[in-house]
């Protein structure tokens, strides 16, 4: 399928390189003067193979020839140097998701980060923060091209070691959940009913009005996948996670999908959630199932006290059958891995918030209403925020921030889709979600349920252009983005 949009995105990407050279020449000069020093890490972007299973070896773009990309460990507050080589034919961007770093190294062209040129390299240097579980991934738009952006294998975990580690666990295991072999379809089958809260009538009516007004009566394209994996292996194809009875395992789970929402359960076990998006939660709590929107991370401790051979897997039977799971095998146990469907369970972020918490009042509240225009762009849904779809041509900032002020963003979702909302270079505190007030849960991605509202607060404490977007590649490429600038 060739669509004009694809060429447009390619051209706009090149235009952004040209415009970014001048404003960032100063930082380029700084980085080149440090070029004698050895980099802490080298990341090489290139086409490679992933053996999802012996009979399913796929070709995609990878970091250092592997999926997931290597775990990069940094020390909080200690400057790091990373050399990024791009062996592909297209300019790339490597985004340091969840870090509070300057715009020129954050890895988003909309913020002014220079591209890593095709067949070229760029050295970046930054002070990693805050401590916790972060990740890195490509930030190029994909549009109608399913061989680009987060549809590829360009994702890997980052762990920023805190100055002091509490560490009430025996070992750490990183799990990256990821789908491969994407294709477009009309309509999807995303789980919808697992988030706390109820749809708001007014938003349903607003959504219906948009449907009625739309020229196209059919829904736009959705993306589906053939293969599912954890740490680059389909269920049963890789080594099992070998555990001992009584062990406390700290799982760091990353949903590195381009747009899917994932769940994870381990029969007979509970997850004690200790951090969301790498940030410790005020109220650690035990849950039977983890739910992760696109780009979300959960750190959870599992006490291994139910010996057997189990499937740690997604609740979706079809996705699990196509690979979304990993076997957990207790020492001295063998046999076929067992899956037991957990009881239905609603995911409620407020559960992990302060017990009787009220967030500090904001200096300013900004409301954003999200509307979907069915199939308005060559068969793709177009997304608007307060009536405006983000335009790559103009990159016009929507919001002007003043440093030091506390902003409350109130999102009203007039669509039936779940949106994993992401703010770059800042973290935010959830203040209202699923119809409830909350405080203390600090994140950088949050799922907004269909026809619901949520509010989060953030302090404008990291000057520079800042991107806000839905983390679904398909939504962000077709309008669901906004740029914030500092006054
Ligand atoms: Cu979205």
């Amino acid at each position: 399928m060739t669509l004009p949009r694809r060429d447009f995105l390619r051209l706009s990407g090149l235009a952004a390189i040209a415009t970014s050279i001048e404003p960032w020449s100063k930082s380029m000069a700084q980085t080149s003067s440090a070029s004698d020093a050895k980099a802490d890490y080298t990341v090489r972007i290139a086409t490679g193979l992933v053996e999802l299973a012996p009979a399913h070896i796929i070709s995609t773009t990878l970091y250092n020839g592997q999926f997931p990309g290597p775990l990069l460990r940094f020390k909080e507050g200690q400057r790091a140097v990373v050399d990024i080589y791009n062996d592909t034919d297209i300019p790339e961007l490597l985004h340091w998701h969840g870090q509070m770093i300057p715009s020129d190294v954050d890895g988003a062209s909309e913020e002014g980060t220079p591209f890593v040129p095709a067949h070229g390299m760029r050295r970046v240097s930054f002070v990693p923060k805050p401590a916790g579980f972060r990740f890195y991934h490509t930030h190029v738009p994909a549009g109608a091209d399913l061989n680009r952006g987060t549809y590829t294998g360009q994702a890997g975990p980052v762990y920023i070691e805190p100055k002091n580690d509490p560490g009430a666990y025996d070992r750490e295991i990183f799990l990256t959940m990821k789908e491969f072999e994407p294709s477009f379809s009309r309509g999807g089958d995303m789980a919808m009913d697992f988030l706390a809260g109820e749809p708001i009538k007014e938003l349903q009516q607003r959504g219906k009005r948009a449907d009625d007004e739309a020229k196209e009566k059919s829904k736009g394209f959705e993306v589906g996948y053939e293969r599912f994996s954890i740490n680059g292996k389909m269920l049963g194809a890789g080594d099992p996670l070998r555990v001992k009875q009584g062990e406390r395992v700290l799982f760091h789970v990353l949903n590195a999908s381009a747009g899917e929402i994932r769940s994870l359960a381990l029969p007979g076990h509970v997850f004690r959630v200790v951090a969301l998006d790498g940030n410790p939660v005020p109220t650690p709590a035990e849950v039977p199932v983890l739910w992760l929107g696109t780009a979300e991370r959960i750190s959870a401790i599992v006490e291994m006290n139910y010996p057997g051979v189990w499937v740690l897997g997604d609740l979706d039977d079809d996705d699990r059958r196509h690979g979304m799971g990993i076997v957990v095998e207790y020492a001295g146990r063998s046999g076929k891995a067992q899956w037991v469907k957990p009881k239905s369970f609603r995911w409620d972020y407020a559960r992990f918030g302060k017990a009787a918490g009220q967030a500090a009042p904001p200096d300013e509240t900004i409301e954003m209403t999200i509307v979907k225009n069915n199939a308005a762009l060559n068969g793709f849904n177009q997304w608007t925020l307060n009536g405006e779809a983000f335009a790559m041509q103009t990159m016009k900032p929507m919001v002007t921030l003043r440093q030091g002020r506390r902003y409350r963003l109130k999102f009203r979702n007039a669509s039936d889709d779940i949106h994993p909302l992401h703010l770059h270079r800042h973290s935010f505190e959830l203040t209202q979600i699923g119809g409830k007030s909350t405080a203390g849960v600090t994140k950088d991605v949050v799922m907004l349920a269909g026809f619901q509202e949520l509010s989060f607060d953030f302090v404008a404490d990291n000057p520079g252009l800042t991107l806000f977007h839905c983390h679904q590649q398909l939504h962000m490429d077709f309008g669901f983005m906004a740029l914030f600038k500092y006054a």
Side-chain angles (χ1 to χ4, degrees), residues 188-239:
D189 57 354
M190 191 186 279
M192 284 296 179
D193 51 358
F194 65 92
L195 286 172
E198 297 303 325
I200 296 168
K201 265 229 161 61
E202 191 205 332
L203 290 171
Q204 286 174 316
Q205 286 161 354
R206 180 74 191 78
K208 189 178 177 304
R209 212 163 68 230
D211 283 351
D212 293 343
E213 287 164 1
K215 286 195 199 80
E216 295 292 334
K217 292 305 161 201
S218 61
K219 302 267 181 205
F221 303 127
E222 300 290 345
V223 177
Y225 302 86
E226 279 302 309
R227 303 285 155 205
F228 298 75
S229 68
I230 292 183
N231 289 353
K233 292 287 181 194
M234 291 171 69
L235 174 58
D239 289 336

Side-chain angles (χ1 to χ4, degrees), residues 196 276 282-283 285 347-357 430-441 443:
L276 294 175
T283 311
W347 185 249
D348 183 359
Y349 293 106
R351 172 188 301 255
F352 311 107
K354 284 180 190 160
L430 298 182
T431 50
Q432 186 248 322
I433 191 158
K436 277 189 280 192
S437 291
T438 185
V441 175
K443 293 182 67 35

Side-chain angles (χ1 to χ4, degrees), residues 270-293:
V270 291
F271 299 92
R272 184 172 175 79
V273 174
V274 294
L276 294 175
D277 294 347
N279 308 310
V281 293
T283 311
E286 287 186 352
V287 294
V289 179
L290 303 178
W291 283 96
L292 302 100

Side-chain angles (χ1 to χ4, degrees), residues 370 383 415 417-421 469-476 480:
I370 298 148
W383 295 92
S415 76
D417 298 62
I418 296 170
H419 302 291
L421 307 176
H469 61 89
C470 176
H471 219 287
Q472 268 232 41
Q473 185 81 56
L474 194 58
H475 296 182
M476 67 184 283
F480 201 146

